[in-house]
Amino acid sequence: MTPPATTKVLIIGGYGTFGLRLVRLLADHPGMTVFVAGRSEHKAFRAVSGIRGATILVPTALDRSQPIDHPPVDVVVDAVGPFQRYGPATDHVIEFCERAGVAYIDLSDDPAFCAHMVARADGSPVTVATGWSTYAAVTGAAVHALGGSEPPVVGIVPSPRLPMGRAVIASVLDSAGKEIGPDGAKGLTRTIRRTVAPPGSKPMRNLLFSNVPTPDTVLVDPRTTAWTAPQPEVLHRLLIVMARLRGWRLLPPLRWFLGLIHRVQAVVQIGEPRGGLFVEVGDRRFDLIGEGDTGPSVPATPAAALIRALHAGETFPPGLLRPGADFPLSRLTPLWDEIGIDYGIRQRSEHLYADTLGLSFGGGAMDSLPEPIADLHTGGTFTGRATVERGRNPLGRIVASVLGFPKAGEHDLRVSITTDGRGVEHWSRVYAGREMFSTQERGAGRATGLITERFGPFAVHLAISAEGDRLVYRSRGWSFLNIPLPRMLAPGGEVFEFIDSQGRFNFHVDMRAPGFGRLVRYQGYLSREPEAG
């Protein structure tokens, strides 16, 4: 398809939190003109002054609350929230699109607004893409890709390093303590824990999520339950308490606290500099993580992908454009690859490591590992050699002995891996006649999405990722007799598996603990023991 001579895009709210992200995603397209609109032409000019690319950016003064009078364009994006305040009396944007015969897109995450637009799309002469943000365009595309007939569960982790705009916070506060589901659930009062972990990528920490309303129930599946995990968790827990008090009518509407909450979250930016989401349908799951500054761009990617398609000469029929069914995940992944978003699908497997590493769109993450590494994790008996070093701290030496780590020196090594009927792997490591025993199993509760390795009464919760030709382990927490211990005191260090120049499985474990220094470092190789006979 040959791109048109020009594509004119009007983005209302173009210098807002997500509108400006969309502008940046469209900034380098020859033949495209983007009108960056808002009430203040000066603010629009300042916002785009540092953006470079082939796209022509035009700062524009426009008030969304009034009937729209603007020169002809090809597509209009409404990125002005909070959409909870809009209704039939403020349909100025869709009315303009229908008069001009141009495509309509909005970034609404409000179920009521999207339901109104779904009704409006019935019989509309133009393409209508409502809820075209993370909820429900991304989550809906993921649900469609996962298939299955079970009720979807979706959750979003906003990046703590990008302060949320007042409109975003207002949309969350409006649902606090109100009934948001057919089962009578009240917003921000129910909780779950999840670990967002795209296959082969470094997982996020296990996070607390609370329930929120989303347009997925209107656009994707009415049975959808949706969750969000704002950080830091201590402030999130405070918000949950306030929502419960509001539900019992012991507090006024939480919107009264909008200004205070907006200021606090802008200052208290604690947590991993990453944003992410998960989508679950039955035993299949989609995960996505955006590192650093890429995470906050995810909500703008569906609109960017649709506008790029229109610019490339594609056409879409009039009426509602549904996430997933009409605009699948494959439309979004090229853009995610371009900006460095990690994503993938996993399906529950009987094999522990295959379950944890999951499936990517190009095949299984286990399949991407070098054969000796993948082979070891299928189980069996292996032999080899290991070099062991103990730390210098006397207390560290005691801890290492209690945990069963081998003594310093060069040792013959024999490793046996078996799996019981519950799917728990039993690892026996014998160094020079002394056995070190542990079990590995799927993490539960706070460790969901991780692998839990148990050494007697101690348990370490591990995030595992395939990174190039290595399998890398990272400690995400620990416990004693299933009682969580402070993460700041958790043992950690550099732990990975790789292949040496002779094609053998190699391991490198450098275990350290705060206050004790190095507990033990052991490294060596293993080969599968030949079968008898």
Side-chain angles (χ1 to χ4, degrees):
M1 289 173 289
T2 302
T6 183
T7 300
K8 295 181 179 179
V9 182
L10 172 61
I11 303 179
I12 306 172
Y15 55 82
T17 302
F18 298 120
L20 187 58
R21 293 278 170 169
L22 177 58
V23 171
R24 289 171 176 163
L25 292 173
L26 300 174
D28 198 20
H29 291 271
M32 184 181 291
T33 299
V34 175
F35 295 91
V36 183
R39 290 184 177 181
S40 170
E41 183 177 344
H42 176 66
K43 289 183 178 179
F45 177 81
R46 288 179 57 188
V48 304
S49 60
I51 300 176
R52 299 291 179 265
T55 300
I56 299 172
L57 303 179
V58 182
T60 303
L62 189 150
D63 187 350
R64 190 227 181 275
S65 66
Q66 302 298 321
I68 295 173
D69 181 17
H70 190 277
V73 294
D74 301 290
V75 58
V76 179
V77 180
D78 187 355
V80 181
F83 288 90
Q84 287 80 355
R85 294 187 174 185
Y86 299 150
T90 54
D91 277 353
H92 307 307
V93 181
I94 185 66
E95 289 171 355
F96 171 80
C97 290
E98 291 177 339
R99 288 196 308 270
V102 301
Y104 166 91
I105 304 171
D106 68 56
L107 273 59
S108 172
D109 61 359
D110 178 55
F113 178 89
C114 290
H116 170 67
M117 295 309 301
V118 168
R120 179 92 191 214
D122 186 19
S124 176
V126 302
T127 301
V128 177
T130 185
W132 222 246
S133 187
T134 308
Y135 299 124
V138 173
T139 52
V143 168
H144 188 264
L146 292 174
S149 58
E150 297 87 346
V153 180
V154 304
I156 289 180
V157 183
S159 172
R161 301 304 171 89
L162 179 73
M164 291 184 287
R166 291 178 66 92
V168 176
I169 297 174
S171 69
V172 174
L173 296 182
D174 281 344
S175 71
K178 294 182 180 179
E179 290 190 6
I180 61 172
D183 61 350
K186 296 181 179 180
L188 299 181
T189 62
R190 296 184 178 179
T191 61
I192 60 172
R193 299 198 74 95
R194 290 293 189 275
T195 298
V196 178
S201 300
K202 179 183 176 183
M204 303 184 78
R205 296 175 181 173
N206 183 262
L207 297 172
L208 177 71
F209 289 77
S210 57
N211 59 323
V212 290
T214 73
D216 295 68
T217 54
V218 175
L219 295 167
V220 182
D221 189 320
R223 302 170 300 166
T224 302
T225 54
W227 308 83
T228 187
Q231 300 178 69
E233 185 170 310
V234 62
L235 294 184
H236 185 193
R237 288 186 176 277
L238 177 60
L239 188 59
I240 292 169
V241 171
M242 293 174 67
R244 290 171 177 170
L245 292 174
R246 172 56 189 161
W248 298 328
R249 300 188 180 277
L250 298 178
L251 277 182
L254 297 197
R255 180 181 279 272
W256 287 21
F257 305 96
L258 173 61
L260 174 62
I261 293 174
H262 179 256
R263 288 192 296 273
V264 170
Q265 64 91 34
V267 173
V268 185
Q269 297 180 25
I270 300 173
E272 294 180 282
R274 320 163 80 196
L277 65 89
F278 74 87
V279 178
E280 299 172 349
V281 179
D283 62 356
R284 291 172 64 83
R285 172 168 158 157
F286 172 85
D287 290 79
L288 176 149
I289 287 178
E291 301 284 351
D293 194 51
T294 63
S297 296
V298 172
T301 54
L306 179 53
I307 293 169
R308 289 184 179 190
L310 293 169
H311 182 58
E314 290 192 58
T315 58
F316 296 87
L320 183 65
L321 194 68
R322 286 193 176 274
D326 301 324
F327 207 80
L329 203 61
S330 58
R331 293 273 194 173
L332 304 177
T333 54
L335 184 51
W336 293 341
D337 292 338
E338 179 183 314
I339 64 177
I341 299 293
D342 295 329
Y343 58 89
I345 290 174
R346 70 176 73 239
Q347 181 168 358
R348 186 171 180 82
S349 165
E350 292 182 1
H351 188 282
L352 176 61
Y353 276 68
D355 185 27
T356 303
L357 291 171
L359 307 172
S360 65
F361 288 104
M366 284 288 286
D367 296 337
S368 68
L369 291 171
E371 192 277 333
I373 295 179
D375 177 60
L376 181 131
H377 289 289
T378 62
T381 301
F382 303 82
T383 57
R385 294 279 293 176
T387 301
V388 181
E389 300 176 39
R390 285 291 191 95
R392 297 180 178 180
N393 188 314
L395 291 177
R397 289 173 177 266
I398 294 173
V399 172
S401 296
V402 169
L403 294 176
F405 288 121
K407 295 180 179 180
E410 294 277 343
H411 301 291
D412 290 326
L413 173 61
R414 190 172 188 269
V415 175
S416 295
I417 306 170
T418 59
T419 304
D420 65 24
R422 299 175 298 132
V424 177
E425 293 188 356
H426 298 258
W427 287 61
S428 171
R429 308 167 182 86
V430 180
Y431 296 82
R434 181 177 180 184
E435 183 181 34
M436 174 185 169
F437 182 79
S438 68
T439 63
Q440 294 185 2
E441 61 192 77
R442 292 175 178 86
R446 289 175 174 264
T448 298
L450 307 177
I451 284 181
T452 295
E453 183 162 19
R454 299 185 183 277
F455 302 86
F458 289 93
V460 179
H461 309 300
L462 302 168
I464 301 178
S465 58
E467 301 178 13
D469 60 354
R470 291 182 173 186
L471 191 62
V472 180
Y473 297 71
R474 295 181 175 88
S475 173
R476 288 301 196 196
W478 65 319
S479 61
F480 177 75
L481 296 176
N482 292 325
I483 300 173
L485 299 174
R487 190 171 182 272
M488 66 181 65
L489 301 178
E494 192 176 42
V495 182
F496 58 87
E497 299 166 357
F498 65 102
I499 304 304
D500 65 16
S501 59
Q502 299 181 48
R504 299 177 301 191
F505 172 91
N506 272 239
F507 55 90
H508 175 96
V509 179
D510 191 357
M511 188 67 66
R512 299 169 179 268
F516 296 95
R518 173 175 291 149
L519 301 179
V520 66
R521 178 169 66 184
Y522 55 100
Q523 49 196 341
Y525 68 87
L526 289 168
S527 300
R528 182 175 287 276
E529 185 175 76
E531 294 184 10

